[in-house]
């Protein structure tokens, strides 16, 4: 707003205090300090988003966090037993009534925001249980993305799913069927699981690795495996099959004992002459590369959101603790080095959140999702979740190392995230390839 002649004169002569414009800045406190909401510097949300987030936050804190901590102290066998708290979690999760079909009907921006909010909040509650939910929806989610009505009807959303892709002899390289990130001397070794095309049937033989999330308990599986259409098994031109796991010939391995994400029950799945009708084929050899690209792009965004939420949970706990714990006569947050540490944790959580939402929005709106955007979210957010949870332990001091406090578990959970869904090293090499512009070579 322009100043009047009198106001200009009074400023230059200094005879009286300048008049103030009606800028809202004059209504600020003299030394502003903004208290942010439950998800940081979040732009205004719609009523639906805010309600959704609050419901999920309550679920995260009241159901997931305590159940996740209980499961963390149990043996892998106890975790999947009939009386395990895992099933209470599963029941209460289903009661939330989150429907993928409803998400698919939303415009891309709304859909991508809600998708991120769901997994940020589940990750806030418990990283391992969030991954169990994420892997649990993949058969139905991919069937919907491929528009396969038969599979969508055959496997309703309340059936617990799993994604079986890695094998004892194939880890990160299963996400790289073209060998983009392979070493020059690399050879694709024999597949451990083969789908043979026999007339109108598919016959599955072999096994998937002990790392399959929900592998020990899932009802339905989205299987990525080598295809044998008559010329021998081939993973580069493999296939994707969605099948129930109660068929004759399917058996499960021992539940996996591991460092973190213990609430996600993992284990091998074995296939011994398992037969399914051809209708269960989601992607044949001609579409296999597309199917790997598609699930990789979706799953890496899901990982970005989940581990952003897990990092925020560790940051929030550390922030509260830094206000409560007195050391040297003051709450430790008054020590500059503690405040500085918290600031770096905060900026990583905020940046991870923004990055994942950006990747989700781009990928949900574009004709073809950008895999490099999804991998950027996954690699960055898992690395930062690892760093933030480690810093949280430092702020808790000795207490942070004990099972009495929740942050050591969060650190163990986050450590695993840098390996799952493709180790970060391979993703970065592959990511570099996606930056290459053939037109400029
Ligand atoms: C918590 C968790 C959940 C998982 N969930 C599932 C699931 O639901 N379904 C499923 O099928 N699998 C799942 N996995 C398996 C996961 O995808 C693999 O563990 C991952 O791809 C790495 O494979 P690997 O463990 O065999 O390691 P390897 O592939 O043997 O690699 C070992 C290490 O070698 C290095 N390395 C390997 N290849 C390269 C390369 N090309 N360039 C540079 N360095 C390299 C990396 O440091 C890597 O960590 C899960 C794993 C974890 C930890």
């Amino acid at each position: 707003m322009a100043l009047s002649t009198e106001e200009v004169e009074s400023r230059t002569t200094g005879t009286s205090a300048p008049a103030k414009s009606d800028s809202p800045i004059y209504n600020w406190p003299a030394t502003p300090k903004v208290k942010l909401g439950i998800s940081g510097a979040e732009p205004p949300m719609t009523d639906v988003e805010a309600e959704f987030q609050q419901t999920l936050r309550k679920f995260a804190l009241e159901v997931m966090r305590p159940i996740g901590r209980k499961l963390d102290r149990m043996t892998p066998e106890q975790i999947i037993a009939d009386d395990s708290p895992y099933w209470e979690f599963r029941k209460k999760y289903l009661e939330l009534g989150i429907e993928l079909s409803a998400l698919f009907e939303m415009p891309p921006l709304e859909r991508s925001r809600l998708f991120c909010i769901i997994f940020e909040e589940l990750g806030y509650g418990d990283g391992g249980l969030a991954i169990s939910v994420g892997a649990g929806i993949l058969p139905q989610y991919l069937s919907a993305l491929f528009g396969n009505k038969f599979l969508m009807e055959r496997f309703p959303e309340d059936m617990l799913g799993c994604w079986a892709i890695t094998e004892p002899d194939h880890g990160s390289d299963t996400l790289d069927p073209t060998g983009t990130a392979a070493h020059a001397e690399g050879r694709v070794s024999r597949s451990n699981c083969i789908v043979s095309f026999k007339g109108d049937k598919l016959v599955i033989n072999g096994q998937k690795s002990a790392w399959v999330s929900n592998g020990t308990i899932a009802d339905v599986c989205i299987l990525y495996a080598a295809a044998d259409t008559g010329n021998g098994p081939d993973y580069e031109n493999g296939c994707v099959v969605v099948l129930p796991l109660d068929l004759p010939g399917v058996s499960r391995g021992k539940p996996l004992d591991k460092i973190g994400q213990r609430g996600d029950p993992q284990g091998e799945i074995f296939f011994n002459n398992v037969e399914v009708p051809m209708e269960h084929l989601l992607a044949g050899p001609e579409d296999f590369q597309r199917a790997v690209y598609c699930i990789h792009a979706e799953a890496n965004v899901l990982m970005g959101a989940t581990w952003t939420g897990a990092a925020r949970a560790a940051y929030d706990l550390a922030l509260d603790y830094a206000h409560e714990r007195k050391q040297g006569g003051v709450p430790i947050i008054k020590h500059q080095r503690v405040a500085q540490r918290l600031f770096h944790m905060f900026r990583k959580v905020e940046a991870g959140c923004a990055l994942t939402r950006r990747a989700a929005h781009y990928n949900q709106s574009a004709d073809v999702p950008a895999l490099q955007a999804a991998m950027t979210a996954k690699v960055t957010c898992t690395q930062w979740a690892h760093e933030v949870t480690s810093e949280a332990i430092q702020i808790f001091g000795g207490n942070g190392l004990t099972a009495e406090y929740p942050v050591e578990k969060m650190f163990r959970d986050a450590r695993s995230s840098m390996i799952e869904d493709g180790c970060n090293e391979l993703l970065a090499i592959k990511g570099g390839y996606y930056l290459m512009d053939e037109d400029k070579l």
Side-chain angles (χ1 to χ4, degrees), residues 125-365:
D126 185 273
L129 289 174
I131 294 300
S132 175
V133 171
I137 59 170
L138 286 175
Q140 294 91 338
Y141 195 77
L142 263 286
S143 300
L145 282 177
F146 274 79
N148 187 315
K149 293 213 165 59
F150 167 76
L151 293 173
M152 285 161 72
E153 277 163 26
R154 172 75 181 78
F155 301 109
E157 290 182 31
D158 58 358
M159 287 180 83
L160 182 63
C162 69
W163 174 24
I165 180 164
T166 56
E167 302 177 353
D169 294 328
H170 297 279
S172 301
D173 52 337
T174 52
L175 288 175
D176 185 34
T178 46
T180 308
H183 189 274
E185 294 164 12
R187 293 274 180 283
V188 177
S189 58
R190 205 175 66 83
S191 293
N192 303 118
C193 184
I194 296 157
V195 179
S196 304
F197 287 58
K198 300 223 164 125
D200 58 357
K201 277 187 314 204
L202 300 164
V203 182
I204 309 166
N205 275 294
Q207 76 163 101
K208 286 292 171 176
S209 80
W211 289 106
V212 176
S213 298
N214 301 335
T216 48
I217 53 170
D219 306 309
V220 47
C221 168
I222 181 164
L223 174 74
Y224 279 60
D228 184 353
T229 54
N231 301 316
D234 180 357
Y235 185 72
E236 193 170 328
N237 301 295
C239 65
V240 182
V241 183
V242 181
L243 74 155
L245 289 175
D246 57 358
L247 293 175
V250 174
S251 57
R252 324 281 180 124
K254 205 165 138 320
L256 188 66
D257 203 359
K258 56 199 173 157
I259 179 175
Q261 298 185 36
R262 294 175 62 85
D264 167 20
Q266 291 177 290
E268 293 148 316
I269 306 179
F270 298 93
F271 303 92
N272 182 10
N273 279 320
V274 176
E275 292 189 5
V276 284
M278 197 55 85
E279 287 95 323
H280 287 252
L281 184 70
L282 183 65
E286 66 288 359
D287 296 319
F288 185 64
Q289 300 283 353
R290 284 189 196 96
V292 174
Y293 189 99
C294 178
I295 201 163
H296 192 178
E298 294 291 334
N300 269 194
V301 170
L302 187 154
M303 286 289 287
T306 301
W307 295 102
T308 293
R312 191 181 293 285
Y315 161 75
D316 281 352
L317 288 167
L319 184 66
D320 284 349
Y321 187 84
H323 285 83
E324 287 154 20
R325 169 76 177 164
K326 285 205 172 105
Q327 181 52 236
V330 289
I332 59 171
I333 195 164
K334 292 204 171 188
H335 293 302
Q336 283 187 336
R337 183 64 185 92
V338 174
Q340 182 202 36
R341 193 184 292 280
L342 282 161
F343 175 76
H344 287 307
M345 293 163 74
F346 172 73
R347 76 176 168 77
K348 286 176 187 172
V349 173
E350 287 294 281
C353 180
L355 177 64
T356 303
R357 288 183 184 204
R358 182 175 161 88
H361 186 200
Y362 182 89
N363 284 359
Q364 295 279 345
S365 323

